[in-house]
């Protein structure tokens, strides 16, 4: 029979396109903690694409990916777990790369296959027992599902509004992954029964498509879901609260931000930018800008400069020997003229005049 697409495979191919689009969006956002979820979506898309090739018989035309699904299956668990480690701000050691050894191992057969098609080698394809070990793949994914479940359970979901919503998102993402595992296992169980047909085969792809479209929905409706912000009325209302949910979260984010500014003093870094501070406090640049604009009423530069001016005031007040000429650099300003203009605007005098007023009191 000639290769051809039908309604189902067309839908799955559309899901592949959606997955690749989301991967590009998340990778180009340059938020490193989102890279694992981006790669997880890409892995689902690659598996789904190989299934489409199989069902439509285009696999005979493009046989280069026929052994590739196990590579991505063995990658999904480590990527999911890595995403949650980032989400919960756990320290990740360099040796975490060892988690991807099974995926690298099953990459070897695909490389040998490519070598044979290119005429580079005539070696027998190795490790076919691992590539075809469906139960080993299911066990591997199940182990990471359990590890992720344990990690989620270790974090109190009721300590703040932020953690409540984060917990909801975590459960949704984990549920999607567990559903995918169950669909995968059910296929190899049901294939042994007479009533089995190709519609059952589609169940694995349906769960992957649902995962891709669900993540796609949240990324379009609420992009902050991937930045740890988990913002607005996304999953649940807050009962018995006078203030709207978004305002409650804004207050909490702003409190965390001001606490960080006061304790860590990032503003004394002359090269501090919005993206740097966002990364330090664990917010997206969009969310950080929104928190500052909504709660402080000024933009990022004014917000940071006000902290720098306050630091300058403290230095001028507490240190009689403070060298005023260079104080602008010590508090985070790069430009002396900018510092003097901002200082005079706030205190209606120059730093030297401010110092003299203190001496006269």
């Amino acid at each position: 029979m000639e290769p051809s697409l039908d309604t189902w495979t067309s839908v799955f191919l559309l899901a592949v396109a959606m997955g690749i689009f989301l991967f590009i969006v998340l990778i180009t956002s340059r938020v490193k903690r989102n890279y694992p979820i981006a790669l997880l979506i890409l892995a689902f898309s690659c598996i789904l694409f190989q299934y489409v090739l199989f069902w439509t018989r285009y696999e005979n035309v493009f046989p280069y990916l026929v052994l590739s699904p196990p590579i991505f299956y063995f990658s999904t668990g480590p990527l999911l777990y890595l995403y949650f480690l980032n989400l919960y701000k756990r320290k990740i050691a360099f040796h975490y790369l060892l988690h991807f050894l099974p995926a690298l191992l099953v990459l070897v057969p695909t490389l040998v296959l490519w070598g044979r098609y290119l005429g580079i080698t005539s070696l027998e394809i190795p490790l076919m027992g691992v590539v075809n070990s469906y139960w080993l793949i299911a066990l591997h994914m199940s182990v990471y599902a359990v590890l992720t479940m344990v990690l989620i359970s270790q974090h109190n979901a009721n300590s703040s509004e932020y953690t409540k919503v984060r917990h909801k998102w975590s459960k949704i993402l984990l549920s999607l992954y567990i559903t995918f595992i169950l669909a995968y296992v059910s296929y190899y169980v049901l294939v042994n029964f007479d009533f089995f047909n190709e519609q059952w085969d589609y169940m694995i792809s349906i769960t992957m498509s649902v995962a891709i479209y669900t993540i796609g929905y949240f990324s379009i409706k609420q992009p902050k879901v991937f930045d740890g912000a988990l913002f607005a009325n996304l999953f649940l209302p807050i009962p018995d609260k006078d203030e709207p949910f978004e305002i409650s979260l804004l207050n909490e984010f702003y409190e965390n931000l001001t606490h960080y500014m006061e304790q860590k003093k990032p503003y004394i870094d002359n090269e501090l930018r919005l993206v740097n501070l966002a990364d330090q406090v664990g917010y997206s640049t969009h969310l950080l800008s929104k928190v500052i604009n909504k709660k402080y009423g000024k933009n990022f530069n004014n917000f940071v400069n006000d902290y720098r001016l306050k630091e300058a005031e403290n230095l001028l007040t507490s240190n009689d020997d403070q060298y005023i000429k260079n104080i602008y650099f010590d508090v985070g300003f790069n430009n002396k003229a900018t510092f003097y203009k901002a200082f005079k605007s706030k205190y209606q005098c120059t730093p030297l005049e401010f110092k003299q007023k203190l001496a006269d009191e």
Side-chain angles (χ1 to χ4, degrees):
M1 295 178 65
E2 289 294 321
S4 62
L5 289 167
D6 59 17
T7 302
W8 277 107
T9 51
S10 297
V11 170
F12 295 145
L13 197 58
L14 184 61
V16 171
M18 168 69 82
I20 294 174
F21 171 74
L22 291 176
F23 167 75
I24 294 173
V25 169
L26 292 173
I27 286 293
T28 55
S29 69
R30 297 183 181 179
V31 181
K32 292 183 179 179
R33 59 184 173 275
N34 293 339
Y35 289 177
I37 201 71
L39 292 170
L40 179 64
I41 293 172
L42 181 63
F44 277 155
S45 299
C46 290
I47 296 170
L48 192 53
F49 182 64
Q50 171 56 31
Y51 284 176
V52 170
L53 291 179
F54 172 76
W55 289 319
T56 59
R57 293 174 294 282
Y58 275 102
E59 187 179 67
N60 299 324
V61 182
F62 306 104
Y64 315 105
L65 299 177
V66 65
L67 300 179
S68 65
I71 302 171
F72 304 110
Y73 279 126
F74 280 119
S75 299
T76 57
L79 287 172
L80 181 74
Y81 191 55
L82 180 59
Y83 171 73
F84 280 107
L85 289 174
N86 284 329
L87 186 65
Y88 291 111
K89 296 180 173 60
R90 293 290 190 92
K91 185 177 180 180
I92 301 169
F94 180 77
H95 60 70
Y96 189 88
L97 291 173
L98 295 175
H99 289 254
F100 294 96
L101 277 180
L104 292 175
L105 185 66
V106 293
L107 174 62
V108 174
T110 294
L111 294 177
V112 173
L113 178 65
W114 290 352
R116 293 181 61 170
Y117 280 123
L118 293 172
I120 298 174
T121 181
S122 58
L123 291 174
E124 290 292 324
I125 298 177
L127 302 172
M128 289 302 294
V130 179
V131 171
N132 295 322
S133 182
Y134 308 114
W135 295 109
L136 180 61
I137 292 173
L139 177 62
H140 184 268
M141 292 191 294
S142 299
V143 167
Y144 281 95
V146 172
L147 288 174
T148 302
M149 193 181 304
V150 171
L151 180 62
I152 293 173
S153 67
Q154 289 174 347
H155 291 80
N156 187 356
N158 299 313
S159 59
S160 67
E161 310 300 349
Y162 171 82
T163 55
K164 287 178 183 177
V165 183
R166 183 179 63 181
H167 189 67
K168 270 289 184 182
W169 165 242
S170 299
K171 290 199 299 183
I172 287 176
L173 190 54
L174 179 59
S175 297
L176 287 171
Y177 189 65
I178 291 175
T179 302
F180 168 68
I181 295 173
L182 292 175
Y184 179 85
V185 172
S186 67
Y187 170 81
Y188 292 103
V189 172
L190 296 174
V191 74
N192 298 303
F193 294 90
D194 294 335
F195 61 80
F196 181 83
N197 55 48
E198 67 176 7
Q199 278 68 38
W200 290 100
D201 196 8
Y202 286 162
M203 286 304 298
I204 302 175
S205 297
I206 290 173
T207 57
M208 280 190 290
S209 300
V210 169
I212 290 171
Y213 280 117
T214 301
I215 295 170
Y217 168 78
F218 286 126
S219 68
I220 293 171
K221 185 175 177 62
Q222 292 292 340
K224 285 78 68 178
V225 74
F226 293 108
D227 295 328
L230 302 167
F231 206 71
N233 228 338
L234 185 57
F235 295 117
L236 72 166
I238 303 297
D240 304 323
K241 286 239 176 178
D242 295 330
E243 58 186 4
F245 186 38
E246 182 171 346
I247 294 177
S248 176
L249 280 177
L250 274 174
N251 292 337
E252 186 175 323
F253 289 141
Y254 185 67
E255 183 180 345
N256 291 338
L257 173 62
T258 54
H259 179 76
Y260 183 84
M261 296 292 288
E262 293 164 4
Q263 295 298 317
K264 301 297 183 180
K265 298 186 177 182
Y267 50 83
I268 63 175
D269 178 5
N270 307 80
E271 300 299 325
L272 184 67
R273 299 291 183 269
L274 178 66
V275 66
N276 306 130
L277 184 58
D279 192 56
Q280 291 173 30
V281 297
Y283 300 165
S284 68
T285 53
H286 176 81
L287 173 60
L288 177 59
S289 179
K290 183 171 184 176
V291 170
I292 293 173
N293 291 336
K294 290 283 188 180
K295 298 302 298 179
Y296 195 67
K298 297 181 181 179
N299 62 27
F300 169 76
N301 288 332
N302 291 330
F303 173 76
V304 173
N305 284 344
D306 282 350
Y307 272 96
R308 289 167 173 165
L309 291 172
K310 183 64 176 177
E311 182 71 11
E313 178 186 345
N314 293 336
L315 290 175
L316 291 169
T317 303
S318 62
N319 189 349
D320 293 335
D321 299 322
Q322 180 67 38
Y323 191 43
I324 297 175
K325 185 177 180 180
N326 291 330
I327 193 174
Y328 76 94
F329 191 80
D330 295 334
V331 299
F333 282 92
N334 274 323
N335 185 285
K336 184 177 180 179
T338 302
F339 167 66
Y340 269 71
K341 182 179 179 180
F343 191 93
K344 194 167 185 178
S345 175
K346 182 174 182 179
Y347 298 101
Q348 288 76 51
C349 63
T350 65
L352 180 59
E353 292 170 344
F354 183 88
K355 190 75 172 174
Q356 290 173 342
K357 287 180 181 180
L358 292 175
D360 294 338
E361 291 180 355

